[in-house]
Amino acid sequence: MIASRRHAGVGPRKRAFRRLAIAGLLALAALSPTRSHAQNVTYNEMRLGVWAHDPHALGGKEHGADLNLEWNFASPVSDDWAATVPSWIRWALQPRPTIGGSVNTAGGTDQFYVGANWSWKLVSNIFNPDDGIVFGYFFGPGFNDGHRKENNPNRKALGSLVLFRESADIGYQFNSKYQVSLFIDHISNGGLAKYNQSINDIGVRLGVRF
């Protein structure tokens, strides 16, 4: 009974996050051309974001907003080499090394993360030359200063200071330099620790290409 109370609500929160992610992917599938026409995004990019931290709609109980800074480095895999492989696998071969972090304005959980970001320009030249719809996905380890155990009703029991982190964003690229995106992320330990109350964030980010 104690163990069940500790994990109560984790399943519904995860299902809510997955439903939201699946809905987003279905919307992308409806918007995008075939995968072979998607263009890999491989350049250096800095992103600045403001997120709703652990919102109640996604099963949250922490508060405040997160201020985010992220840097996506240019992919180490060249366009010339990627062009030599079959199109069905080319979309996955140019991840961008990524480093970033977020600070919570209400004293909640802060994050620092590293990993890889895969981004694709799905549609181009919608209203202006060089504009388009861009979708991105991140995966990697996240490090946090949150609570590992249930000892505060307003904080999540994350179970570990190192968690799996994944995120997705979809945005509009105004031109070759600027982009604005809607964003969602998820951190948890995947059930590897005694406590596993995940945190989800949702918000907007501005990307600037360098």
Side-chain angles (χ1 to χ4, degrees):
M1 290 296 292
I2 294 176
S4 64
R5 285 197 298 270
R6 285 173 177 168
H7 294 277
V10 173
R13 282 195 294 272
K14 286 187 175 180
R15 287 194 293 271
F17 177 80
R18 287 169 183 165
R19 285 196 295 267
L20 185 61
I22 290 170
L25 291 174
L26 290 175
L28 286 168
L31 285 171
S32 66
T34 62
R35 180 183 297 170
S36 62
H37 291 89
Q39 177 184 351
N40 290 357
V41 174
T42 62
Y43 47 71
N44 280 300
E45 182 183 18
M46 182 181 70
R47 294 178 175 180
L48 302 171
V50 179
W51 308 341
H53 178 81
D54 198 34
H56 286 221
L58 297 179
K61 63 180 182 179
E62 295 195 9
H63 304 289
D66 285 351
L67 305 179
N68 168 244
L69 175 63
E70 179 180 292
W71 193 280
N72 293 277
F73 298 92
S75 176
V77 180
S78 70
D79 292 339
D80 290 341
W81 185 87
T84 65
V85 303
S87 59
W88 63 269
I89 191 65
R90 188 181 307 154
W91 63 275
L93 295 181
Q94 291 183 287
R96 294 185 290 175
T98 300
I99 184 171
S102 64
V103 177
N104 182 256
T105 60
T109 301
D110 302 322
Q111 294 186 50
F112 171 78
Y113 54 89
V114 295
N117 180 291
W118 289 261
S119 297
W120 307 275
K121 192 173 185 180
L122 302 179
V123 184
S124 300
N125 304 321
I126 302 172
F127 303 110
N128 304 296
D130 296 324
D131 76 348
I133 303 296
V134 177
F135 172 68
Y137 174 78
F138 169 91
F139 182 78
F143 308 88
N144 68 85
D145 62 355
H147 289 196
R148 284 178 287 177
K149 301 179 181 179
E150 286 185 331
N151 53 10
N152 187 323
N154 295 316
R155 298 291 297 273
K156 288 291 185 66
L158 299 175
S160 175
L161 299 181
V162 182
L163 302 172
F164 298 108
R165 182 180 185 274
E166 54 188 337
S167 69
D169 61 88
I170 183 167
Y172 175 67
Q173 181 177 304
F174 295 97
N175 50 43
S176 61
K177 187 165 185 175
Y178 297 105
Q179 173 184 319
V180 64
S181 302
L182 298 175
F183 167 90
I184 186 169
D185 83 341
H186 172 83
I187 59 171
S188 73
N189 61 56
L192 298 178
K194 183 176 182 179
Y195 298 92
N196 183 32
Q197 295 183 346
S198 61
I199 290 181
N200 305 302
D201 305 307
I202 189 167
V204 296
R205 297 200 294 189
L206 173 68
V208 182
R209 177 179 179 176
F210 291 94

